[in-house]
Amino acid sequence: MSVYEDLQARFDLPEVPPEGEPALVDVSRHVELAGALKDAGFTMYVTVCASHFPSVTPKVKKGQEPLPPTVEAWEVATVLRRPGPNSEAFAWRVRVERPVVPTLYELFAGADWQEREQYDLVGVIFENHPDLRRLMMPEDWDGHPLRKDYAIDTRVAPWR
Amino acid sequence: MNPIVHALVIGVPLLTFLMGGAALATWFERRFSGKMQTRWGPTVVGPAGLLQPVADALKMMQKEDIVPRAADRTLFNLAPLFPPFLVIASAAVIPFAATIDADGAVKATGVVADLDIGILWVMALAGLMVFPIWVAGWAANNKYTMLSGMRMVAQGISYEIPMVLCALVPVIFAGSLSLSDIVAYQAVHGWNALSLSPSAIVGAVAALLFFLASLAEANRIPFDIPEAESELIGGVMVEYTGIKFGIFMLAEYLHTIVASALTAVLFFGGPLGPGPAVLGLGWMLGKTLVLFVLIYWIRWSLYRFRSDQLMDLCWRILVPLSLVLVMLSALLVAGGFA
Amino acid sequence: MSSRVGLNWIWQSAKAMIVTGKHLFEPRTTEGLRPAESRAPRYRASFALVHNEHGEEACIGCKLCEKICPSDVITVVGGPKELSEATGKKRGTCTDFVLDLQACIICELCVQVCPVDAILMVREQEVPGYSREDLVLTMDKLYANEHDKALYWGSGSALMEMQNPKKEASS
Amino acid sequence: MTAFAVIAGIILASGLMVVRSENLVHSVLWLAVTLIATAVQFVLLNAPFLAGMQLMLYTGGIITLMLFGVMLTIRDEGVDIPNPSEGHLAGAGAALAFLVPTLYAIWGTPDFGPMVDPITAKDIGSSFLGPQLIAFEALSVLLLAAMIGAIVLVRRKDP
Amino acid sequence: MQEQWVSALVFLGLAFSVPLSMLVGAALVRVRAKSNLEAKYDTYECGEEPDGPAWVRFHPRYYIVALVFVLFDVEAAFLFPWALTLRELGTLALVEMFVFVTVLLIGWAYALRKGALSWQ
Amino acid sequence: MTEFPPRVDPHFDIEEYDPEADLMALNMGPQHPSTHGVMRIKLFLDGETIVKAVPYPGYLHRGVEKLCEKLTYVQITPIFDKHDYVAPMTNEQAINLAFEKLLGLEVPLRARVLRTILAELQRIASHLLWLGTFTLDIGGTIGGGASMMMYTFREREMILDLFEALTGCRFHYNTHCPGGNRHDVPEGWETVVKAVLDAIEPRFDEYEALCDNDIFLVRTEGIGVLPPDLALELGQTGPVLRASGVDHDLRRDAPYHAYDLVDVRVAVDDGCDSLARYKVRVAEMRESVRLVRLLLPMLPQGPIVGSKPIKSLIQFKAAAGQVYVGMETPRGELGTYLIGGGDQRGAAPYRCKIRPPSLHAMAALPYLLPGHFLSDVVTVLGSLDPIMGEVDR
C-alpha cells in the first residue's frame, strides 16, 4: 500500500490527486499530516510556499447575475521528500482565510528559516514559531512584498 | 675605527640592502607567486614591473590618513614606528662578510656591532616585536584588530620559546653568544646544520625548527594566523591607511629577510663557503636568498593553521623537541663530539 | 575524531610544494582582454541595428523586442507607415530606438523574436564609459555598430532555423 | 655619567607616568619604557648580559603577562574610563618609607671603585653552577610551583 | 666593548630614522580631505554598527599562555650562561641542568595534562 | 554508528550564558572577504569560541519571486541565470523543468541529453569554483589557497569556453526555453568537450596532492559536523546531504533529463564534516567527467525544441495548476513551486516559489558554528558552498 493510499483514508485526501496538484488538507490536520509523513519516511523537509489570493470580484458576462467577490485567502503548501532510491516528494496545501497556520518547527528544524521567509514575504503568521522575524527584508520594512495587493510604485528602474 | 664611523660605514649599506631587499621582496613575491599560479604578476610599471614597489610606496604615501574616532589616537599613531625599527635593529649583529686573520683563522666581519651577547640581542628585540603590533591592534579599538593583536602576542611569545631554545644549539656548540664566534666555530667544525660531523643531525633539526619558529615570528603562512585575512580581514592593520599600513607590510618583508639571514648565520655557516674569504658576502647573500625564496615558496603552497592548532603544535611538539635538542647538543659537547 | 597536528605535515608540505614548483615551469595561461577574433563564433556582447538587403533600415518599429525584454531596456518609437522604394510595399518604420546596455542581460530574446532580423548582436563589447549615458545605445550608435563591430552569426531567422530545422530524416 | 643621568631621568619620569596614567594599558606601556630604560642602564654599567635578560624577561615576558592580566580583568566598561590614582599622600609616604632603607643600604655598601671588567654571561653561569647551585636548583622547583599555582588559580571552573 | 655598543646605538638611531622618515614624508605629501563624512571615522566592523566595545575582557587562556611563556623564558635565560660554561664545567653542568630541565618538564607535562596549553 | 554531539539550540538565549564570561558580539559581514557574497553573521564569542551564531541573509535580496509574477514564462529563464551565478546553466534547467511540467510540454530526446551534458559540465565548473574558494578561505588570499584557486579557475575557464561556443555567453546563457533548448550544438563541439575533459581529469590528482596535507585535514576534519537526521530536517540536499551519509541524489532517485539513460554513481561519505563535503565534491567532479564521456556519444539527431520556438511574449500559457519540481544542481535540490494562471492572461506564473539549496545550507549555520573557533566559521561556511545570490534571490 502506497503512502498516499494509507494517508488518504486518514486525512480525507481526494481519490487521485489531480496531475501534480497538491492535495488540499484542512488546516487543523496540518501538523498531524506532517508528523504522519515523517513517520512514513518523508524525513526531508523540502520547502514551504505561501501564496496570497486576494478578494476579487469576478467579471460578469452580460445577462448573468453579478457574483459576490471571492474571499481573501492564503494557501500554504508544504513539500516533504523521502530520501534515498526512488525518492518521492509529497506536497499538500492548506487554505486559510486568516493568515495563521501552525508551524512545523517542532517536527522539522528546517521550517525555521523557510517559514520566516514566507512570513516575511507573504505575511502568513506561523503559530508557535520560536523566532518569527523577517528573513530577507529589513526588519523595519512595511508590508509583505509578495502579497498581491502590495503596491509597486512604478516599473521604471530607479537609475533612469 | 671610531665606533660611530664604523656604524655608519657598515650600517648604511646594510640599511640600504634591507630596504632595497624589502622593496624587491614585494616585487619578487608577486612575480614568483604569479609564475607559480600560471599568471603574470606586475608587468606594467618599469621593466618586468620592477618599479612596482616604488609605485606602491608613492601610492601609500599619498593616501589620506584616517584615525578612527574610537581609537586611542596617540598609541595608534605611535605603533607603526616600531615594527620596522625593531626588525632592522636586530640585523645589527648579523655578520655579512668574512676575512682571514693573520694566523689563518676565519673571522666574520661586516657586522655593525659585534656584541658578545649577539643572539640575546636578536632574541630580545624579536620578543619586543609583539608589543607594537599588539598596541596597534588595541589602539584601533576594533574587534578584529583586538582579536588579531591577542593572537599575535600569544603566537609570538609561544614561538619565541622554541626559537630561543633552537638558537641555543649553536651557542652550545660554539660556547659563545656572539654571532661572529658562532661563524668562527663553523669555520673550524663545519656548518652546524650541514656537515659530516654527528652534531650536524642535531643542528639540522634545530635549523628546521628555528626556521619554522621564525616563520611564525614573521607571520608567514602557514603561521599567519594574526593576519588571517579570510577571517580577520587584515589583522591589526584593518584600521590603518596609507603609509602606516605600508610600514607594517614593510616590517613583515624585512622580517623575512632578517630571519633568513639569521638562519643562514646560525646554521649554515653564514659568510663561509668554498673559495676565498672575499666571496663571504656573496655566500651570505646567496644563502639568505635561498632561505628567503623558500619562505615564499612555502607561503604560496600551504594553507594556514588555526590558532589553537598553532599553539598546540608549538607547546606539544616544538617546545619539548627543542628542549631535547638542547640537551642532545649539550651531550654532544660534553662527550667531545662537537 | 579530530586529528592533531604532527610534524609529518612537513613531508606532506614538501609534496604540495612540488606541485606548486612544477607550475613555475608551466606556461602562463592568463590573457588580457580577449579580442573578439579569438572568441567563439556565437559570442555575443553588444547590439547593432542593421539594414536589410534593400539598404533600408530593417526595423519596422513593431515593438516585439520592447515587449519581450525582461529587463525593460529597449524603447522603440514607431514611425508612420511608409512606402518602401525597393519592394513597393507599405512597411512600418522606427523613429527612435534606444537600448540601455547598463541593465541589459544579453539574453538574446530581442534577437530571437525580431520578425525582420533588424536587431543583431555583435561580438565586441562596448568600451566602458565615463558616464551612464555612454552605455545607452541610441539609434545612431546601434546603426554605427553594424559597420564598426563584427556581427555575430545569428539573427532571428537563423535562431528560428536552428530551433526548428527543416525536416530531415530523423533517426 | 651624563648618559647615566639622562637614563635615570627617563626611568624616574616614566615610573611616575606609570602611576599617573589614568588608563591601565598606558600604565603598562609606561612600565615597559621604564624597564627598557633600565636595560640601557645595565649596558652603561657594563653588564650587557643583564641588559639582554632585562629585555627578554621583563620587557618581553612580564609586560606581556601584565597586558594579558589587564585584558583579563577589565570589565564591560572598557579601559578608557578614567581610573585616577587615589591616596597620593599615602602613596608618597610609602615611597618615602621605602626610600629611606634603600638609601641607607646604598650608603652602607663599600665603594667598589669603577667597574673595569664587564660581568659576562660566563661569570654568571659559573656562579650558578658553582657557589649558587642550591639556589639555582631550588629555583626550578619555584618555577614549577609558580606554573602549577597559576594554572590552578586561573583556570575557569569546569562547567 | 663599549665601542661595539656605541656602534649598536648609532645603528639603532639609523633604524629608527627609517619609519620616522616615512611617516614624516607621508605627512608632507599626503592628500587631505576637503570635506569629511562622519562615517569615515567609524570603527570598521564589516559595514555594521559595532555592537559593544572591542575592549572586552579576554579569555584567561591567554593569561596562562603568557605565564607559561614567562616561566620558559626564565628557564631559557638560565640556559644561556649554562651553555657558555658547559665546555669548562663538563659533566657537572650537564647533570645540574638536566635536573633543572626535568623539574620544568614536569611542570610542562602538568600544564599539558590540565589542558592549560591547549586552546580548547 | 558515530556519536554526534547534542543538537545546538539556535534560539539559545545569550543572556543565559555563563555570566562570568564577557562575550564579544562580532559582526562578520556583510562586507567581509570570505562570506561568499554579502551575508552577515553575528557571532557571540567567548574568547575565540563561538557561543551563538545568528546569520542575517537578505543583503542580496532582489525580489525575483515578485518579478516572476510580472514576467512571462518566456522572460523568466534569463532572469534565473542570476541567482546562482556560479551554476546558471542548472538554474535555467530547473525553472524550465517546472514550466514544462506545468505547461505539459514534451522535451525531445536530443535536448534532454544535451541538457544532461550541460548540467554535468556545469557541475564540474561549479565544484571547481567551490574548491578554489574553499581553499582560499582555508589557505588565505595571499597563500596556498590562492594558488589552488588559480589552478581551479584555469580549468573552469575551459568549461566556460565550451559554454561560450555553444550559447555565445560565458555566464548568463539563456539557452533553455520551455520545451527544449534554444541553441543547438555547433559543429565539432563534442571533440572539444572530450579534449577539455582529458585536460581536466589529471588535474584532480594535483588538487588532491595540495589538499592531502595535515594542515588541510586538521582544518576540516571534525569541523561543522552535521548529523544525517538534522541534515534531512533542515532540508539539506546535494553534496552537503551526501557528506552527512544520506544516499540521496535526484539524478538517480528521481531521474529527469536523460539521467535514466545512464547509471549515476552517487558519492556518499559518512564523515558528516567539512572534510567529507570536500571529498564528496571531488568525487562528484570525477563522476561528472565520466557521465559526460558516457553521454556524448548518446546525443541523438533530431529537434532540440519540442514546442514551437519562442516568437512572442505570451507564447506559453497555463490557466491554473500547482506543481513542485526539484532538480539536482551542483548545490543540491533546486526546486520550484509554481502556481499557474497569473498576469498576462496566464502567460506569467501566479506564484513562483524558488527553493534554493543554498538557503537551506545557510540555515544549518546556527547549528554548526557554536563550539567552534572564529577561524572555523570560514571553513564551515565554505564547505556548505552557499551562493548568496541564490540564498537571497
Side-chain angles (χ1 to χ4, degrees):
Chain A
M1 196 163 77
S2 81
V3 181
Y4 188 80
E5 284 166 14
D6 180 30
L7 295 169
Q8 194 182 3
R10 281 174 64 192
F11 292 95
D12 255 358
L13 301 180
E15 197 63 21
V16 178
E19 188 58 43
E21 181 128 351
L24 203 57
V25 174
D26 192 70
V27 66
S28 57
R29 315 289 300 273
H30 181 54
V31 180
E32 198 187 337
L33 175 61
L37 279 165
K38 192 181 181 186
D39 294 339
F42 286 78
T43 46
M44 184 199 279
Y45 183 80
V46 178
T47 195
V48 56
C49 169
S51 42
H52 177 220
F53 294 90
S55 160
V56 281
T57 319
K59 277 185 189 144
V60 182
K61 283 178 192 159
K62 263 181 193 158
Q64 271 186 340
E65 284 289 305
L67 291 165
T70 56
V71 186
E72 184 178 27
W74 279 265
E75 271 189 17
V76 173
T78 312
V79 185
L80 298 180
R81 190 182 273 288
R82 189 181 58 218
N86 296 321
S87 168
E88 196 183 345
F90 188 97
W92 76 94
R93 58 201 167 104
V94 295
R95 197 179 171 96
V96 285
E97 290 176 4
R98 217 164 48 88
V100 180
V101 171
T103 177
L104 294 184
Y105 176 72
E106 295 299 321
L107 287 165
F108 295 98
D112 184 356
W113 277 35
Q114 301 306 313
E115 292 180 350
R116 266 176 71 188
E117 192 196 2
Q118 296 309 307
Y119 158 73
D120 181 1
L121 298 179
V122 189
V124 174
I125 292 163
F126 290 89
E127 257 181 333
N128 300 327
H129 189 284
D131 184 24
L132 202 61
R133 284 179 294 127
R134 283 182 182 276
L135 188 74
M136 292 294 165
M137 310 299 286
E139 277 179 26
D140 50 358
W141 192 264
D142 272 342
H144 301 282
L146 279 188
R147 283 197 180 181
K148 288 287 171 181
D149 50 9
Y150 182 82
I152 302 178
D153 293 324
T154 165
R155 283 197 75 188
V156 175
W159 57 81
R160 287 254 178 96
Chain B
M1 210 195 296
N2 182 335
I4 296 177
V5 177
H6 174 83
L8 289 177
V9 165
I10 303 198
V12 172
L14 174 63
L15 204 62
T16 322
F17 163 70
L18 285 177
M19 297 303 292
L24 269 180
T26 63
W27 170 85
F28 168 79
E29 169 159 47
R30 292 162 74 174
R31 291 292 288 189
F32 185 69
S33 64
K35 191 94 183 91
M36 206 170 245
Q37 300 172 352
T38 69
R39 56 185 177 87
W40 285 96
T43 51
V44 176
V45 193
L50 262 172
L51 291 179
Q52 189 68 46
V54 181
D56 284 348
L58 283 177
K59 179 194 77 180
M60 282 177 176
M61 299 271 261
Q62 289 175 19
K63 294 244 170 177
E64 194 190 340
D65 183 47
I66 297 174
V67 181
R69 202 182 304 114
D72 184 323
R73 233 190 146 78
T74 326
L75 289 181
F76 187 80
N77 286 327
L78 274 178
L81 278 173
F82 291 93
F85 162 65
L86 292 172
V87 180
I88 296 173
S90 62
V93 293
I94 298 176
F96 274 84
T99 49
I100 297 182
D101 273 1
D103 49 351
V106 177
K107 198 175 168 308
T109 52
V111 48
V112 175
D114 186 15
L115 307 177
D116 8 327
I117 58 154
I119 285 198
L120 216 53
W121 168 272
V122 177
M123 294 299 148
L125 288 180
L128 292 186
M129 184 73 187
V130 295
F131 292 111
I133 296 184
W134 185 87
V135 168
W138 181 84
N141 194 2
N142 176 312
K143 286 167 199 165
Y144 287 99
T145 60
M146 195 65 240
L147 280 169
S148 167
M150 293 304 273
R151 282 186 182 184
M152 176 70 214
V153 180
Q155 173 186 327
I157 58 175
S158 300
Y159 276 80
E160 203 181 325
I161 301 291
M163 190 159 128
V164 169
L165 290 177
C166 289
L168 255 175
V169 170
V171 170
I172 290 170
F173 287 154
S176 165
L177 289 171
S178 159
L179 286 171
S180 53
D181 287 351
I182 290 172
V183 172
Y185 168 83
Q186 296 182 71
V188 181
H189 294 85
W191 298 355
N192 277 332
L194 211 65
S195 73
L196 292 175
S197 85
S199 64
I201 300 165
V202 174
V205 180
L208 181 69
L209 295 195
F210 183 83
F211 190 62
L212 284 182
S214 4
L215 278 183
E217 292 274 305
N219 292 333
R220 293 271 117 178
I221 277 180
F223 304 107
D224 71 333
I225 281 305
E227 203 203 309
E229 76 290 319
S230 55
E231 53 214 71
L232 293 185
I233 299 146
V236 294
M237 287 102 89
V238 166
E239 296 282 12
Y240 279 103
T241 56
I243 197 69
K244 290 182 191 159
F245 175 82
I247 288 177
F248 278 103
M249 294 308 284
L250 172 78
E252 260 188 42
Y253 284 97
L254 283 172
H255 209 136
T256 56
I257 300 175
V258 172
S260 335
L262 195 65
T263 316
V265 169
L266 284 180
F267 295 99
F268 296 97
L272 302 174
V278 187
L279 286 181
L281 182 64
W283 276 108
M284 179 64 191
L285 293 184
K287 287 169 189 173
T288 307
L289 187 68
V290 168
L291 290 168
F292 175 80
V293 170
L294 196 61
I295 290 180
Y296 287 88
W297 193 358
I298 289 175
R299 178 179 202 186
W300 291 95
S301 303
L302 295 187
Y303 306 141
R304 68 162 72 86
F305 282 112
R306 209 171 59 204
S307 46
D308 61 317
Q309 292 155 351
L310 206 73
M311 305 302 270
D312 205 46
L313 179 72
C314 176
W315 288 107
R316 215 165 44 82
I317 296 178
L318 295 189
V319 166
L321 197 59
S322 47
L323 263 178
V324 168
L325 283 176
V326 166
M327 290 297 124
L328 275 180
S329 53
L331 274 176
L332 282 171
V333 167
F337 291 106
Chain C
M1 179 90 180
S2 162
S3 58
R4 309 188 83 175
V5 192
L7 276 180
N8 52 338
W9 66 268
I10 292 174
W11 313 120
Q12 293 161 340
S13 304
K15 212 166 75 183
M17 283 167 72
I18 289 169
V19 173
T20 47
K22 217 165 64 188
H23 279 90
L24 276 175
F25 306 103
E26 281 190 359
R28 291 167 165 141
T29 53
T30 319
E31 305 154 34
L33 190 66
R34 252 200 231 178
E37 298 84 58
S38 72
R39 293 276 187 190
R42 290 184 183 178
Y43 181 67
R44 55 185 203 245
S46 180
F47 293 89
L49 284 177
V50 297
H51 293 78
N52 61 15
E53 68 269 26
H54 309 300
E56 296 166 324
E57 289 183 351
C59 180
I60 53 170
C62 68
K63 295 199 178 187
L64 272 179
C65 49
E66 182 181 319
K67 280 186 197 130
I68 204 162
C69 182
S71 35
D72 258 3
V73 301
I74 301 179
T75 319
V76 183
V77 180
K81 291 213 166 184
E82 282 173 9
L83 207 64
S84 166
E85 286 172 17
T87 56
K89 285 178 188 164
K90 268 204 159 183
R91 66 184 285 270
T93 55
C94 169
T95 49
D96 197 17
F97 192 108
V98 179
L99 197 153
D100 186 353
L101 209 57
Q102 294 170 73
C104 177
I105 55 177
I106 322 279
C107 69
E108 212 187 19
L109 279 177
C110 47
V111 179
Q112 166 102 28
V113 297
C114 185
V116 288
D117 297 352
I119 183 162
L120 294 186
M121 302 199 69
V122 295
R123 299 179 57 222
E124 286 168 56
Q125 283 163 354
E126 292 295 323
V127 184
Y130 288 98
S131 70
R132 293 193 185 281
E133 282 70 42
D134 290 354
L135 275 177
V136 177
L137 297 181
T138 56
M139 205 166 172
D140 298 339
K141 283 190 197 168
L142 284 166
Y143 276 114
N145 273 354
E146 184 189 1
H147 306 292
D148 299 349
K149 300 197 164 144
L151 297 177
Y152 90 141
W153 65 287
S155 62
S157 46
L159 281 168
M160 282 296 158
E161 197 183 315
M162 178 198 264
Q163 292 156 20
N164 207 0
K166 303 267 179 309
K167 286 276 178 273
E168 290 170 39
S170 55
S171 54
Chain D
M1 201 56 212
T2 333
F4 183 91
V6 170
I7 302 293
I10 291 175
I11 292 177
L12 283 177
S14 57
L16 197 63
M17 285 311 289
V18 174
V19 194
R20 295 288 303 162
S21 279
E22 291 189 346
N23 186 319
L24 267 177
V25 173
H26 288 187
S27 283
V28 175
L29 292 174
W30 278 116
L31 186 62
V33 174
T34 313
L35 294 176
I36 292 171
T38 317
V40 179
Q41 206 71 294
F42 277 131
V43 174
L44 290 178
L45 291 174
N46 232 344
F49 181 76
L50 282 185
M53 282 300 135
Q54 172 83 13
L55 276 187
M56 229 173 97
L57 291 186
Y58 282 88
T59 324
I62 302 293
I63 294 292
T64 317
L65 200 63
M66 291 186 125
L67 281 180
F68 280 4
V70 169
M71 294 317 288
L72 184 68
T73 46
I74 53 170
R75 296 293 301 182
D76 289 342
E77 298 83 34
V79 278
D80 47 352
I81 302 286
N83 181 19
S85 313
E86 280 172 14
H88 290 183
L89 255 163
L96 249 163
F98 184 68
L99 186 66
V100 171
T102 317
L103 284 178
Y104 179 78
I106 290 169
W107 270 309
T109 316
D111 194 358
F112 289 121
M115 293 280 265
V116 183
D117 291 332
I119 306 159
T120 61
K122 231 170 211 171
D123 304 338
I124 295 172
S126 336
S127 106
F128 274 152
L129 303 175
Q132 311 290 342
L133 182 61
I134 302 296
F136 178 62
E137 295 296 349
L139 190 77
S140 68
V141 181
L142 182 71
L143 289 180
L144 177 70
M147 174 149 29
I148 292 173
I151 289 166
V152 169
L153 279 179
V154 177
R155 259 167 66 89
R156 204 187 276 176
K157 281 186 185 62
D158 294 307
Chain E
M1 173 59 217
Q2 290 281 20
E3 274 186 14
Q4 300 286 1
W5 283 93
V6 174
S7 298
L9 203 69
V10 172
F11 190 70
L12 282 186
L14 273 181
F16 197 72
S17 71
V18 170
L20 195 65
S21 59
M22 285 171 87
L23 276 185
V24 171
L28 294 178
V29 300
R30 74 167 151 245
V31 181
R32 278 167 188 80
K34 283 193 185 123
S35 64
N36 273 326
L37 292 171
E38 273 294 290
K40 188 153 76 182
Y41 301 97
D42 279 350
T43 302
Y44 172 79
E45 200 174 312
C46 289
E48 282 290 325
E49 285 289 311
D51 186 349
W55 292 333
V56 301
R57 199 162 65 135
F58 265 76
H59 203 277
R61 68 165 88 89
Y62 289 103
Y63 190 73
I64 303 180
V65 167
L67 243 166
V68 179
F69 159 72
V70 168
L71 299 176
F72 272 90
D73 219 20
V74 169
E75 184 198 351
F78 284 112
L79 282 174
F80 272 103
W82 161 77
L84 301 183
T85 46
L86 188 61
R87 279 188 192 272
E88 287 150 34
L89 298 176
T91 327
L92 174 70
L94 205 61
V95 173
E96 283 170 0
M97 194 39 86
F98 265 56
V99 174
F100 185 82
V101 170
T102 314
V103 174
L104 262 176
L105 274 179
I106 294 171
W108 170 80
Y110 175 81
L112 204 65
R113 260 207 61 200
K114 283 283 165 187
L117 297 175
S118 74
W119 219 230
Q120 303 277 1
Chain F
M1 195 62 208
T2 25
E3 283 289 309
F4 292 109
R7 188 181 290 188
V8 177
D9 177 16
H11 305 294
F12 172 66
D13 187 3
I14 203 69
E15 298 293 324
E16 286 171 15
Y17 190 70
D18 184 4
E20 278 295 295
D22 262 15
L23 295 181
M24 185 193 261
L26 183 71
N27 282 308
M28 203 161 171
Q31 205 261 55
H32 189 278
S34 38
T35 45
H36 291 246
V38 276
M39 184 211 26
R40 168 176 161 218
I41 312 175
K42 192 165 181 181
L43 299 169
F44 293 91
L45 299 173
D46 179 13
E48 283 203 28
T49 314
I50 296 158
V51 178
K52 184 186 178 184
V54 189
Y56 292 87
Y59 284 87
L60 217 54
H61 184 63
R62 291 157 293 178
V64 168
E65 290 180 3
K66 187 77 179 172
L67 206 54
C68 285
E69 295 173 9
K70 294 286 163 203
L71 301 177
T72 67
Y73 294 115
V74 171
Q75 291 175 312
I76 289 173
T77 313
I79 297 290
F80 258 66
D81 280 336
K82 269 85 193 164
H83 355 120
D84 185 351
Y85 35 71
V86 174
M89 196 65 94
T90 43
N91 269 282
E92 284 182 9
Q93 293 176 355
I95 189 74
N96 277 302
L97 275 178
F99 289 166
E100 281 148 14
K101 187 168 178 192
L102 183 75
L103 302 166
L105 297 172
E106 273 296 312
V107 184
L109 183 63
R110 182 173 172 83
R112 274 165 53 207
V113 175
L114 182 59
R115 282 182 180 188
T116 319
I117 293 171
L118 290 178
E120 291 306 315
L121 285 174
Q122 182 69 78
R123 190 179 313 276
I124 302 173
S126 168
H127 282 355
L128 279 173
L129 186 135
W130 165 80
L131 184 59
T133 49
F134 181 51
T135 48
L136 200 67
D137 290 344
I138 294 181
T141 38
I142 34 172
S147 300
M148 180 69 133
M149 194 200 75
M150 289 292 166
Y151 303 155
T152 58
F153 267 60
R154 179 185 53 191
E155 273 79 81
R156 181 169 169 271
E157 282 295 294
M158 298 180 184
I159 292 177
L160 293 190
D161 280 346
L162 293 179
F163 289 160
E164 185 188 315
L166 179 75
T167 69
C169 273
R170 302 174 76 75
F171 251 47
H172 301 312
Y173 315 105
N174 187 23
T175 186
H176 298 85
C177 60
N181 280 25
R182 287 180 53 240
H183 297 99
D184 207 345
V185 176
E187 219 157 281
W189 193 68
E190 288 97 333
T191 36
V192 187
V193 174
K194 273 190 195 121
V196 166
L197 293 182
D198 290 342
I200 287 179
E201 205 168 18
R203 302 286 192 192
F204 296 144
D205 297 331
E206 246 171 42
Y207 304 151
E208 282 178 346
L210 276 168
C211 290
D212 181 19
N213 190 317
D214 265 6
I215 301 180
F216 184 79
L217 291 182
V218 293
R219 284 299 302 274
T220 52
E221 202 174 359
I223 302 301
V225 175
L226 184 63
D229 58 331
L230 180 61
L232 283 169
E233 266 193 44
L234 287 171
Q236 303 298 341
T237 44
V240 179
L241 180 68
R242 290 193 279 280
S244 286
V246 181
D247 187 9
H248 171 76
D249 191 327
L250 287 181
R251 291 179 291 167
R252 180 200 61 195
D253 301 334
Y256 49 93
H257 290 350
Y259 281 112
D260 44 354
L261 302 181
V262 285
D263 163 41
V264 182
R265 296 184 205 144
V266 179
V268 183
D269 199 292
D270 286 333
C272 304
D273 53 5
S274 301
L275 181 65
R277 298 197 263 277
Y278 158 78
K279 283 184 187 162
V280 164
R281 287 200 178 94
V282 172
E284 275 186 13
M285 280 196 271
R286 291 181 189 277
E287 171 66 10
S288 290
V289 171
R290 191 185 71 89
L291 284 180
V292 177
R293 285 227 174 93
L294 267 180
L295 282 160
L296 269 180
M298 286 187 193
L299 197 64
Q301 292 298 316
I304 50 162
V305 194
S307 58
K308 285 214 176 88
I310 296 170
K311 210 58 206 171
S312 102
L313 181 66
I314 47 171
Q315 186 157 343
F316 305 104
K317 285 183 195 167
Q322 304 199 0
V323 291
Y324 173 79
V325 181
M327 178 192 148
E328 189 86 12
T329 69
R331 254 153 287 283
E333 178 176 345
L334 177 57
T336 315
Y337 194 94
L338 207 58
I339 304 179
D343 280 5
Q344 317 257 23
R345 285 167 286 158
Y350 184 82
R351 170 92 167 88
C352 175
K353 150 86 189 177
I354 303 149
R355 177 213 187 268
S358 293
L359 180 65
H360 288 256
M362 292 283 303
L365 279 180
Y367 295 90
L368 297 186
L369 289 181
H372 285 312
F373 287 108
L374 180 60
S375 314
D376 293 328
V377 176
V378 290
T379 316
V380 173
L381 189 62
S383 74
L384 292 175
D385 191 16
I387 299 298
M388 296 320 289
E390 194 186 57
V391 171
D392 298 342
R393 285 156 293 139

